Amino acid sequence: MYYYGDKKDVQQRYRSKRITKVENDEEFGDIKDMVDRWETLKKPLKLLEEEGNVTQRACKPRQNIVFIKTHKTGSTTVTNILNRYGDLRDLNMVLPMADQMRFSWPRMFHWSNVDLLRLDGQPGNILCNHARYNREQMDLIMADDTDYITILRNPATQFESSFFYFEFDRILQLRHRKDPVRAFMEFPDEYLYNITLVLNDLPETINLIQSGMFYDLGQDFLDLGDDDAIRKRIKNMETEFRLVMIMEYFDESLVLLKLELCWELEDISYIKQNQRTKRSNLTEDLRERILQWNHADSMLYHHFNQTFWQKVESYGQRFWDDLKDFQQLRNEIEHVCDPGVMTVKGFKINVNVQKYVMNPKVIPYHRYLCQKLLKTEVEYLTYFRKKLGQQYGYQKILIDEGLRPPQRKNILQRRMAKTLRTRALKKKS
């Protein structure tokens, strides 16, 4: 396995000596371990240099990112990549309020749903937990020049995955049917109307029953019947999002992410997370019905599937070289980590999903990386709340070592005050 960078790079990324004092977690080794690791990693890197495969970085990594986490699109794996990137660089992670795992989804994102204490008055670098897209409110919280990215999936398979993952078959009382998805697609409006008569409170996930990806991207049911409005919204998204990834081309999407953000191949490495253990096969006629029902998502996916390949083409042979190297790196990581697989219930649902767990036989030399790759979204939230919490020791250590000032200007407070003044003036005029 090879990593690009230099010795100083590794020391900066794995400043684990300070963290060990705070967390006492086995995943954090001593800084000497990281330096020793680098000495070993230099050997394959030297071979690559001799072959002329390592080039000087000609751009600066972009580190201010909002990831709109759509449902059942491989987004949990992308969230791990972003969490890991922010963690290893001590970036300012935007977290939901202390008792929440999402930013008040299914409501539209609002700055008041953010854990402002852990931002400590500073704009955020990375936001990647479930939040419905609301550009104006997100810009209030994020650092300047933030890049917005998201991921889409073929609406037919995305709908089938959501249908069973969120137990719509149970909610719609279709579990007794041989093919619940087909039964629903025969009379979808009738089933939805009937369920409103049976249930006083509909589950929040019912918002994903039609064009759920468009819903996560800030659109409501009432907007889904107007093709011209849908096209206009898609056109706006094309200018608002730096990259829209495609789940069916997951590795290709991550290589594009790497190129767009000027990252390294190691930054986008992953082990898949949150996969269902059972899937159903869709016949061609049923697939077509699902696409018609999810018409807005179908238009959305078709458009960005085209722009995706235009981006690929713009990078030329460089893209395909990176893809080949990335897939080699992925195979090496899976061999090194060799995680165990267990079946668990999904988060707040009664559906079985695969969970990869740490292999106790992984040698200490590779353990740190493997643990980061396998850390779940919920585990990362708990971890960041400790790491960024002012009452824990890590922030104090950064201050003592001169890596952050003891007092920082409350940039967010000033930004909010300015926004409120501007709105008040508009109302008067």
Side-chain angles (χ1 to χ4, degrees):
M1 187 184 301
Y2 56 84
Y3 287 62
Y4 296 115
D6 54 24
K7 184 172 179 177
K8 185 179 178 182
D9 237 9
V10 173
Q11 289 175 318
Q12 183 178 359
R13 294 186 188 191
Y14 303 94
R15 291 194 299 230
S16 49
K17 184 176 181 181
R18 290 190 300 276
I19 303 176
T20 305
K21 295 177 183 177
V22 182
E23 303 290 351
N24 193 26
D25 192 323
E26 68 171 357
E27 74 172 289
F28 300 117
D30 189 271
I31 192 70
K32 183 177 181 300
D33 294 336
M34 296 300 109
V35 175
D36 292 342
R37 177 175 179 172
W38 171 246
E39 295 301 325
T40 306
L41 291 172
K42 276 199 303 187
K43 296 176 182 178
L45 182 59
K46 186 176 181 181
L47 292 175
L48 288 170
E49 288 171 341
E50 291 171 355
E51 295 169 3
N53 291 334
V54 178
T55 58
Q56 287 291 326
R57 176 181 284 178
C59 55
K60 183 179 179 181
R62 300 184 66 84
Q63 300 186 334
N64 302 323
I65 303 150
V66 169
F67 174 54
I68 302 302
K69 190 174 186 288
T70 48
H71 287 81
K72 306 312 299 171
T73 58
S75 60
T76 298
T77 303
V78 179
T79 296
N80 172 271
I81 291 170
L82 295 170
N83 278 332
R84 195 174 70 246
Y85 186 90
D87 179 22
L88 297 180
R89 289 158 183 80
D90 282 337
L91 299 182
N92 229 13
M93 306 299 293
V94 182
L95 308 178
M97 295 295 286
D99 59 339
Q100 299 293 317
M101 299 298 168
R102 303 172 297 186
F103 293 98
S104 290
W105 190 96
R107 289 182 287 277
M108 296 283 279
F109 178 88
H110 192 271
W111 67 264
S112 61
N113 306 137
V114 173
D115 188 340
L116 296 176
L117 288 176
R118 283 169 174 78
L119 284 180
D120 193 27
Q122 305 305 297
N125 298 120
I126 294 179
L127 187 160
C128 59
N129 299 103
H130 275 301
R132 283 189 72 204
Y133 181 56
N134 186 347
R135 185 59 175 262
E136 181 183 6
Q137 289 292 316
M138 289 173 169
D139 281 347
L140 278 176
I141 291 295
M142 298 303 297
D144 295 335
D145 198 25
T146 289
D147 293 313
Y148 285 73
I149 63 175
T150 190
I151 186 168
L152 303 176
R153 180 181 182 182
N154 184 296
T157 53
Q158 191 272 345
F159 177 83
E160 184 274 336
S161 181
S162 295
F163 194 89
F164 291 106
Y165 186 85
F166 297 117
E167 300 184 277
F168 291 151
D169 55 337
R170 176 185 60 80
I171 295 168
L172 298 168
Q173 301 179 355
L174 288 168
R175 280 197 169 167
H176 64 286
R177 302 294 293 268
K178 182 179 179 180
D179 189 342
V181 175
R182 181 177 292 278
F184 173 74
M185 292 313 307
E186 288 175 355
F187 307 102
D189 291 315
E190 288 81 353
Y191 277 111
L192 289 175
Y193 175 74
N194 289 338
I195 205 64
T196 63
L197 303 178
V198 175
L199 299 178
N200 293 325
D201 294 315
L202 294 175
E204 59 188 21
T205 53
I206 205 70
N207 290 290
L208 302 172
I209 196 68
Q210 185 178 25
S211 291
M213 293 184 290
F214 226 115
Y215 184 81
D216 283 328
L217 289 163
Q219 304 306 299
D220 290 311
F221 283 134
L222 297 178
D223 303 324
L224 299 180
D226 185 340
D227 280 12
D228 289 337
I230 293 170
R231 290 190 193 96
K232 183 178 179 180
R233 185 70 198 100
I234 290 173
K235 199 66 180 175
N236 290 338
M237 284 178 56
E238 191 173 346
T239 61
E240 293 169 3
F241 282 76
R242 187 179 185 98
L243 177 64
V244 177
M245 296 178 283
I246 303 294
M247 179 186 170
E248 284 75 16
Y249 306 101
F250 197 71
D251 284 0
E252 291 87 346
S253 292
L254 293 179
V255 170
L256 269 187
L257 180 71
K258 175 255 184 193
L259 292 168
E260 288 285 311
L261 301 183
C262 192
W263 286 8
E264 302 291 356
L265 290 178
E266 65 168 29
D267 298 326
I268 59 172
S269 57
Y270 70 93
I271 294 174
K272 288 183 180 179
Q273 297 197 22
N274 205 35
Q275 295 184 88
R276 278 189 306 147
T277 57
K278 291 183 179 180
R279 291 176 174 80
S280 58
N281 294 321
L282 299 175
T283 61
E284 195 58 39
D285 69 305
L286 181 56
R287 183 181 293 266
E288 187 59 35
R289 284 189 182 187
I290 293 173
L291 292 176
Q292 290 175 4
W293 172 250
N294 295 279
H295 179 59
D297 272 2
S298 298
M299 292 176 64
L300 182 73
Y301 180 82
H302 176 74
H303 177 87
F304 284 106
N305 192 25
Q306 288 183 323
T307 60
F308 177 86
W309 293 108
Q310 291 167 7
K311 277 186 178 289
V312 168
E313 186 177 354
S314 70
Y315 282 104
Q317 187 59 39
R318 180 184 175 192
F319 172 87
W320 300 107
D321 292 342
D322 275 359
L323 180 62
K324 181 180 177 181
D325 289 342
F326 178 51
Q327 290 173 338
Q328 177 187 341
L329 177 62
R330 269 202 62 213
N331 291 335
E332 291 170 350
I333 285 176
E334 289 184 3
H335 175 72
V336 165
C337 295
D338 190 24
V341 181
M342 61 185 297
T343 300
V344 299
K345 296 296 181 185
F347 181 65
K348 290 189 175 180
I349 58 170
N350 191 37
V351 174
N352 291 334
V353 297
Q354 285 184 344
K355 176 181 172 65
Y356 290 93
V357 294
M358 192 68 190
N359 184 341
K361 295 182 180 179
V362 173
I363 61 175
Y365 173 77
H366 294 304
R367 183 170 292 272
Y368 182 84
L369 171 65
C370 295
Q371 285 180 320
K372 293 293 184 187
L373 285 162
L374 293 169
K375 195 182 284 288
T376 67
E377 182 179 357
V378 175
E379 289 168 346
Y380 249 125
L381 274 173
T382 303
Y383 165 84
F384 279 133
R385 282 169 177 150
K386 290 183 179 180
K387 180 179 179 180
L388 302 176
Q390 303 303 307
Q391 70 273 32
Y392 293 94
Y394 183 70
Q395 298 303 314
K396 185 177 183 300
I397 291 170
L398 293 181
I399 293 171
D400 292 343
E401 296 194 10
L403 294 170
R404 60 154 285 190
Q407 290 187 334
R408 299 189 283 191
K409 294 180 180 178
N410 196 323
I411 298 173
L412 288 182
Q413 188 178 49
R414 294 181 181 183
R415 190 184 285 180
M416 301 288 183
K418 182 179 179 180
T419 302
L420 290 173
R421 286 196 299 270
T422 302
R423 287 179 181 173
L425 289 173
K426 284 184 177 179
K427 283 185 177 180
K428 287 182 179 180
S429 60

